[in-house]
Amino acid sequence: MTGKRQRVAQLFDRVGFSRALMALRGMAPPIWLTVITYHRVGEAKASDELGEEVFDSTPQFFEEHVEFIARHGSFVDTAEVIAHLGGAPLPKNPVMITFDDGYRECIDVVLPILKRHGGKATFFITTDHMNERRMFWWDRIAVIFRRSALDTIAIDFPRKLELARDEAAQACLEIVKQERELDLPRFLAHLEERAQVTISEEEEARFVEQVLMTWEEVLALRDAGMDIQSHTCSHRVVQTLAPDMLERELGESRRVLEERLEQPVRALAYPVGYPIGDDRVIRGALEKAGYEIAFTNATGPAPTYRPMDRFEIPRMAMDSLYDAPFFRSVMALPALGYT
């Protein structure tokens, strides 16, 4: 399917279909709000302990993406989406660029590219990691298993499993994403013990300094006109949390951000991005915390020809497959994309 979509997209772009369709759509009210998700922008290296696929885009590809939006679409942010839900029209070919987590490339790579093309983006920040300067749990898991010298790792928390080293990281990521009320610090410590790997506090501090923004850099994004919103406190999947922890993850992250930013925080991006459906507990916690909208991920474009669920606005996940021709075609016809 991947190869077929890319071949179709390449053909569309080569014959000028992408630009023509964007121009045609720009003559009428938009039928889609395209919200695209990135995490990191950079050049992959085989030596990177986080793995070769840690980046969603190269700087070159990302600049081509932004340049195309600037030429044929309109950049929108949280305020414009909320206004649209209240009845205001969206601009032609609206695209909302979003970045999750708070990696350093947001300030070092992404911001200069956006500024060159008059673009803007929304950055969803995890507040505990900013405050505590701790590794993200998925990064820590990746490092643990890339360093382990064992061929097989046996764990017995939260359940007994025998994991081949080359499959262990993915299996443990799924545990964190799916296990309800998981004691995450205990789980990570257990993995280090069983993999016979130690990540010292000093080493973690150096790692975080290299890959994570500081609060000063988040404020620099704000001062450059970028949109800053919430990605919870510790990037736990909301469906896995007990009600009291859920309220803390949503409410405290918004409180901290508003205190730091000195401006309202109105939106949340769900960590990992699973849809919440009709989950009344999550919807009630969002209401209580004061959020006006919330975004899923890897769920496609957001049609504007029907009412939009304000707590389940879909986004399209970017990855390294999105070179310029593929991106242009997906912006013109979102059904070609990998949701």
Side-chain angles (χ1 to χ4, degrees):
M1 180 64 75
T2 298
K4 182 178 180 180
R5 290 189 189 204
Q6 286 185 301
R7 288 194 296 273
V8 171
Q10 294 279 354
L11 175 61
F12 279 0
D13 190 70
R14 187 163 58 249
V15 300
F17 176 84
S18 304
R19 295 175 179 83
L21 184 53
M22 289 291 280
L24 183 63
R25 281 174 44 195
M27 299 170 65
I31 57 174
W32 289 297
L33 164 64
T34 306
V35 189
I36 52 179
T37 307
Y38 302 86
H39 300 81
R40 302 189 67 182
V41 172
E43 299 287 351
K45 299 177 182 177
S47 60
D48 194 319
E49 284 198 290
L50 300 182
E52 294 183 52
E53 298 182 357
V54 68
F55 297 108
D56 303 307
S57 183
T58 66
Q60 176 187 337
F61 282 1
F62 181 67
E63 181 139 24
E64 290 169 342
H65 297 176
V66 173
E67 182 180 27
F68 183 75
I69 298 168
R71 187 180 299 259
H72 298 281
S74 304
F75 299 98
V76 300
D77 59 14
T78 297
E80 288 161 290
V81 174
I82 292 172
H84 170 67
L85 295 182
L90 286 166
K92 69 172 186 177
N93 294 330
V95 181
M96 184 176 182
I97 297 175
T98 69
F99 277 82
D100 289 0
D101 306 329
Y103 282 103
R104 179 170 295 281
E105 294 89 14
C106 292
I107 191 76
D108 292 342
V109 179
V110 171
L111 181 59
I113 291 173
L114 290 169
K115 290 172 71 174
R116 276 199 292 275
H117 298 282
K120 60 184 173 182
T122 299
F123 297 84
F124 292 106
I125 302 299
T126 52
T127 54
D128 279 359
H129 292 89
M130 288 291 164
N131 285 334
E132 299 170 8
R133 314 306 294 166
R134 302 297 302 271
M135 294 172 69
F136 292 119
W137 49 263
W138 58 94
D139 284 344
R140 194 175 195 100
I141 289 171
V143 171
I144 288 170
F145 291 112
R146 282 181 72 87
R147 289 186 180 181
S148 180
L150 303 178
D151 292 328
T152 303
I153 296 96
I155 65 172
D156 54 29
F157 176 78
R159 55 188 174 273
K160 291 183 179 295
L161 289 171
E162 293 276 340
L163 302 171
R165 185 177 58 180
D166 60 351
E167 300 173 351
Q170 187 58 44
C172 290
L173 292 176
E174 290 304 313
I175 289 173
V176 178
K177 294 176 184 179
Q178 302 292 338
E179 189 78 17
R180 283 195 59 82
E181 300 182 35
L182 176 69
D183 184 336
L184 184 57
R186 177 185 171 189
F187 180 61
L188 295 174
H190 182 63
L191 295 183
E192 287 192 25
E193 176 190 354
R194 293 305 177 87
Q196 298 180 11
V197 171
T198 298
I199 302 173
S200 69
E201 290 184 5
E202 294 78 10
E203 186 176 16
E204 181 174 21
R206 290 194 299 271
F207 180 92
V208 170
E209 182 64 25
Q210 292 173 355
V211 304
L212 188 65
M213 284 192 293
T214 64
W215 278 118
E216 289 72 20
E217 289 164 332
V218 173
L219 294 178
L221 288 176
R222 178 205 63 185
D223 294 343
M226 299 298 117
D227 185 21
I228 312 296
Q229 303 294 333
S230 173
H231 203 37
T232 74
C233 291
S234 63
H235 203 285
R236 298 297 298 274
V237 176
V238 294
Q239 288 88 344
T240 68
L241 299 174
D244 59 338
M245 180 62 75
L246 175 64
E247 288 190 6
R248 188 260 172 184
E249 288 282 337
L250 301 183
E252 182 67 7
S253 62
R254 181 168 181 260
R255 184 195 67 77
V256 169
L257 280 167
E258 290 192 335
E259 185 177 278
R260 291 278 186 170
L261 297 169
E262 299 182 334
Q263 63 188 32
V265 169
R266 308 170 71 186
L268 175 90
Y270 302 114
V272 180
Y274 299 143
I276 63 168
D278 60 357
D279 192 312
R280 294 183 180 180
V281 174
I282 297 174
R283 289 178 179 271
L286 289 162
E287 294 272 11
K288 183 176 180 179
Y291 292 101
E292 298 177 58
I293 58 174
F295 295 86
T296 59
N297 192 35
T299 44
T304 59
Y305 50 82
R306 63 172 184 253
M308 199 180 300
D309 184 338
R310 68 188 182 105
F311 286 152
E312 203 165 81
I313 300 173
R315 296 189 292 169
M316 300 179 65
M318 297 289 102
D319 65 27
S320 57
L321 293 172
Y322 282 81
D323 60 11
F326 190 25
F327 182 83
R328 289 192 292 261
S329 293
V330 170
M331 290 300 100
L333 191 62
L336 286 172
Y338 310 111
T339 56

